Amino acid sequence: MQPGREQNDKKPPLPMLALAAIGVVFGDIATSPLYALQQGFDEQGVMPTHDNVLGLLSLCLYALLLVVTGKYVVFVMRADNHGEGGMMALGALARGALRGRGWLTWLIIMLGLLGVALFFGDSVITPAISVLSAVEGLQLAEPGMKPWVLPIAVVIIIGLFMLQKRGSSLLGRLFGPMMALWLLAAAALGAAGIVRNPHVLAAANPAYAVLYMMHNGFRGFESLGAVVLVLTGAEALYADIGHFGTAPIRLAWFSLTLPALLLNYFGQGALLLQQPKASHASFYLLVPHALLYPMIALATCATVIASQAVVSGTFSMVRQGIQLGYLPRARVHHTSREMEGQIYVPAINAMLLVAVLAAVLLFRSSRHLGGAYGIAVSGTMLLTTVLLMVVARCNWRWNWAALIAFSLVFMLIDGAFFAANLLKVVNGGWFPLLIAVGAMLIMTTWRRGHQLMLQRLHSEGERISDLIAHIREAPPMRARGTAVFLTINDEWVPQALLKNLKHNQVLHERNVLLHVDDSGDASRVGEDARSEIHDLGEGFYSVTLRYGFSETMNVAEGLKALDFEPGLDPDLLTYFLGRDEPVASGKQRMSRWRKALFIYMARNAMPAISYYGMSARQLIEIGTKIDL
């Protein structure tokens, strides 16, 4: 049993889990009212006339109901992979459903990776626009504070990333109540606005959305790029089901988050019907002046929490990518003994900090960042729909009529949102796309380079069965003790064993060929399937330890749980590892720049001894150069 699983088996009551989910899951979507609606009425948008306000508000209403509630809460959250959600989990389900289908399987893999890459782009923009939009309230309270908005936002962002190594547990108990307070405050402000102008409730009539699109033509289509901002964070509902389960997330959504969001958006709409010029800051102009500073402070806390959740989600996504073989090994710290999945990845934290600061300093305001935001969100939503169609057909056995109806509705909605956001590319949308392209190149390059290394190792290697047969015919000298050789493929002799035997002309009494299997589609592996051992004869044992993509690997603990030799002390094992160093050759298996990128990543990857939880005091490394 994994450490901490005993605590996880005793779940808190459903209301407590729902409160915790409000803080962790809904931070992004709950802070969207700060900037979403005003983006529809900027200089390039439509005029905030009576019909346009009701029309845009109606679009926001039905986007929340259809996309978040209909697609994610009702359908997507059903597609859990052994209790885990997120783009990696959905991609694994779709890939498993189409396994062995050739190019179709490859296409699904690429779509899943593209969704992950877009998520990385979104994880850079979210902290930047959230913190900036909160701090910008200061210039409304005191116009002289305008020059200080950017420095204050930078300081808050630096502080946010510096605190990451302490983990979410530092503020974890405050996350839920703080976000609940934020949502209640936003709901109260919205309700007060609606009471002053109840005519805004007419936006519940979908005819206003249709008329809005008809009357505004291409400008109306462009403004869909602003409507999608009310949906930012919808992926978190699905990604975090492994932490909370579906019931708490659904309860938190229907009981507080959705009603609060709708009340606030309609309240902002009521304000715009009376004061069209308030469109540049409709959220903060809804706040009474006496409460402006407290609301700015609360908004800042809420956006920090939202950013924290996005950054933590990025760490989890990176770890899944490492364990599925799409990213190089990196140091992962676990920041909580009680809550599974709370991790900190120093290298990713540093890269995210640089990227977020670059976004803040480059765009300098939430209005300008609005042009960069949305394209990654809408792209991820579109890819989620495509992958869900595969799961619905192959896993859930939907008939073609239901599948076509679902596809027509949501492919049309998601496709329209994505197409509208593509128009933002020249106005900032290139920034998250650039990050996504970089992430995609890194993942595909690492995967391809790793495959080439395996091919080279196998072409120059020897099968385990052949080696054992040779040892029977010509037994070498034996040294006392047990040697553990880490191997990628349990059918082939590890290079470290071959080199040791060739140069030292000696074998240990017992030789464990250890294969750590972390490439499966499951998020966790049950204890009954954790390990597998085979006696190969002549003192050789084949041992396989299996881990899911959301588990922490600890080979030393895994070996202690085995009983393959009475009296064997795992603390006295000697680990032999092959330090495979790739070098570029003249053969064009991969372009030169991609070879250089792979070699750089391989040289800077975390050592296997640390990544797999083995003791460095028991390690002997044997180096091998491999031509790519």
Side-chain angles (χ1 to χ4, degrees):
M1 182 172 289
Q2 293 295 309
R5 292 297 296 274
E6 294 89 345
Q7 294 93 323
N8 292 340
D9 290 338
K10 296 180 180 180
K11 292 184 178 181
L14 182 60
M16 295 300 294
L17 282 173
L19 180 62
I22 289 172
V24 175
V25 178
F26 296 103
D28 193 0
I29 199 169
T31 53
S32 295
L34 283 167
Y35 51 81
L37 203 58
Q38 70 188 48
Q39 290 291 333
F41 297 114
D42 62 9
E43 289 85 351
Q44 292 76 37
V46 296
M47 297 298 294
T49 62
H50 173 275
D51 288 349
N52 284 342
V53 169
L54 293 180
L56 190 65
L57 195 59
S58 185
L59 285 172
C60 293
L61 166 65
Y62 288 101
L64 284 168
L65 293 179
L66 288 174
V67 177
V68 182
T69 305
K71 188 175 82 171
Y72 280 94
V73 175
V74 175
F75 292 109
V76 177
M77 287 176 63
R78 291 177 54 203
D80 68 289
N81 184 15
H82 300 274
E84 291 290 327
M87 183 58 73
M88 279 283 187
L90 184 61
L93 282 175
R95 184 171 65 249
L98 295 177
R99 192 181 300 277
R101 302 278 184 96
W103 67 270
L104 195 57
T105 304
W106 176 86
L107 178 61
I108 292 298
I109 291 173
M110 289 300 104
L111 290 178
L113 290 181
L114 182 57
V116 173
L118 288 172
F119 176 84
F120 290 150
D122 183 30
S123 67
V124 171
I125 301 295
T126 296
I129 193 172
S130 297
V131 173
L132 267 176
S133 60
V135 178
E136 283 171 348
L138 290 172
Q139 63 193 29
L140 290 177
E142 181 57 57
M145 291 291 293
K146 185 174 182 180
W148 292 95
V149 168
L150 200 62
I152 292 173
V154 167
V155 169
I156 291 173
I157 289 170
I158 292 175
L160 167 68
F161 282 94
M162 288 182 66
L163 289 174
Q164 289 300 316
K165 61 184 177 181
R166 296 179 177 269
S168 299
S169 58
L170 179 68
L171 297 173
R173 294 183 180 180
L174 296 177
F175 279 12
M178 184 66 71
M179 289 305 302
L181 178 61
W182 161 258
L183 286 168
L184 289 171
L189 292 173
I194 294 171
V195 169
R196 289 192 292 268
N197 191 355
H199 176 65
V200 73
L201 296 175
N205 184 349
Y208 279 101
V210 176
L211 292 174
Y212 172 88
M213 296 300 294
M214 292 175 60
H215 291 165
N216 287 288
F218 186 72
R219 283 187 177 274
F221 176 73
E222 278 185 305
S223 66
L224 290 178
V227 175
V228 79
L229 297 183
V230 307
L231 309 175
T232 59
E235 279 289 327
L237 278 72
Y238 177 45
D240 284 319
I241 60 176
H243 291 165
F244 299 99
T246 57
I249 294 176
R250 284 173 173 154
L251 176 60
W253 174 250
F254 286 113
S255 64
L256 179 58
T257 310
L258 178 61
L261 289 175
L262 292 179
L263 283 171
N264 190 266
Y265 284 127
F266 271 71
Q268 291 186 51
L271 174 68
L272 292 176
L273 289 177
Q274 294 178 318
Q275 304 176 38
K277 292 183 179 181
S279 61
H280 69 285
S282 54
F283 178 86
Y284 278 120
L285 291 175
L286 199 62
V287 181
H289 188 75
L291 298 177
L292 194 52
Y293 281 110
M295 200 63 195
I296 292 170
L298 182 59
T300 303
C301 292
T303 54
V304 167
I305 292 172
S307 302
Q308 163 70 29
V310 171
V311 173
S312 297
T314 305
F315 293 157
S316 297
M317 194 74 72
V318 166
R319 185 177 64 166
Q320 292 180 22
I322 292 170
Q323 296 188 231
L324 290 173
Y326 292 103
L327 289 171
R329 295 185 299 269
R331 190 173 301 279
V332 176
H333 298 292
H334 289 261
T335 60
S336 175
R337 295 181 179 179
E338 292 79 25
M339 192 171 185
E340 194 169 355
Q342 294 296 320
I343 59 175
Y344 166 64
V345 186
I348 300 301
N349 189 67
M351 287 189 285
L352 275 178
L353 172 59
V354 172
V356 172
L357 288 178
V360 169
L361 297 176
L362 182 64
F363 293 97
R364 305 184 73 82
S365 73
S366 63
R367 181 180 293 274
H368 294 150
L369 268 169
Y373 208 21
I375 192 166
V377 175
S378 57
T380 304
M381 290 193 304
L382 180 60
L383 291 172
T384 297
T385 298
V386 173
L387 295 176
L388 187 67
M389 288 163 53
V390 175
V391 173
R393 175 60 185 168
C394 299
N395 291 19
W396 299 345
R397 304 298 179 186
W398 280 16
N399 59 51
W400 283 107
L403 187 67
I404 291 172
F406 177 89
S407 304
L408 286 176
V409 171
F410 290 107
M411 287 293 288
L412 178 63
I413 294 173
D414 294 338
F417 281 141
F418 183 64
N421 276 280
L422 283 178
L423 301 174
K424 296 181 177 182
V425 170
V426 295
N427 295 322
W430 57 268
F431 187 78
L433 284 181
L434 183 64
I435 295 172
V437 168
M440 192 73 176
L441 287 175
I442 287 173
M443 289 188 289
T444 54
T445 298
W446 179 258
R447 185 71 167 183
R448 177 58 178 160
H450 200 250
Q451 289 174 341
L452 290 176
M453 285 187 65
L454 288 180
Q455 291 173 11
R456 293 289 296 176
L457 286 171
H458 292 167
S459 66
E460 300 172 357
E462 184 177 0
R463 291 188 179 275
I464 293 173
S465 56
D466 295 335
L467 176 66
I468 293 175
H470 293 159
I471 290 173
R472 289 196 184 102
E473 296 175 0
M477 292 181 60
R478 295 277 185 162
R480 295 181 60 185
T482 302
V484 177
F485 296 89
L486 196 64
T487 178
I488 298 175
N489 190 312
D490 52 11
E491 294 183 3
W492 294 85
V493 181
Q495 287 293 312
L497 194 157
L498 286 177
K499 298 287 184 181
N500 183 53
L501 182 59
K502 178 180 178 181
H503 294 290
N504 297 324
Q505 301 294 315
V506 66
L507 277 178
H508 282 71
E509 290 176 328
R510 292 178 295 270
N511 298 275
V512 176
L513 308 179
L514 176 61
H515 172 54
V516 181
D517 184 4
D518 59 343
S519 61
D521 291 339
S523 61
R524 298 185 183 90
V525 174
E527 294 305 314
D528 55 340
R530 173 74 65 204
S531 59
E532 184 178 339
I533 183 168
H534 298 285
D535 187 347
L536 304 178
E538 300 299 325
F540 282 85
Y541 297 88
S542 173
V543 175
T544 300
L545 295 178
R546 298 184 181 87
Y547 295 90
F549 60 71
S550 67
E551 290 184 293
T552 301
M553 289 177 288
N554 192 317
V555 167
E557 291 295 327
L559 290 175
K560 285 181 180 179
L562 295 176
D563 186 22
F564 59 86
E565 185 74 18
L568 180 66
D569 187 355
D571 292 330
L572 299 180
L573 300 175
T574 301
Y575 296 103
F576 285 80
L577 294 183
R579 190 173 184 84
D580 303 323
E581 182 181 352
V583 294
S585 66
K587 298 180 180 179
Q588 291 301 314
R589 299 184 183 92
M590 191 164 57
S591 61
R592 288 183 179 274
W593 69 267
R594 292 186 75 190
K595 285 182 183 180
L597 176 60
F598 175 76
I599 291 171
Y600 175 80
M601 290 190 292
R603 289 175 178 172
N604 289 276
M606 183 181 180
I609 188 75
S610 302
Y611 183 72
Y612 291 116
M614 295 179 281
S615 173
R617 294 175 298 177
Q618 302 168 247
L619 169 67
I620 296 176
E621 282 190 321
I622 300 177
T624 305
K625 290 187 180 293
I626 301 175
D627 291 331
L628 293 180

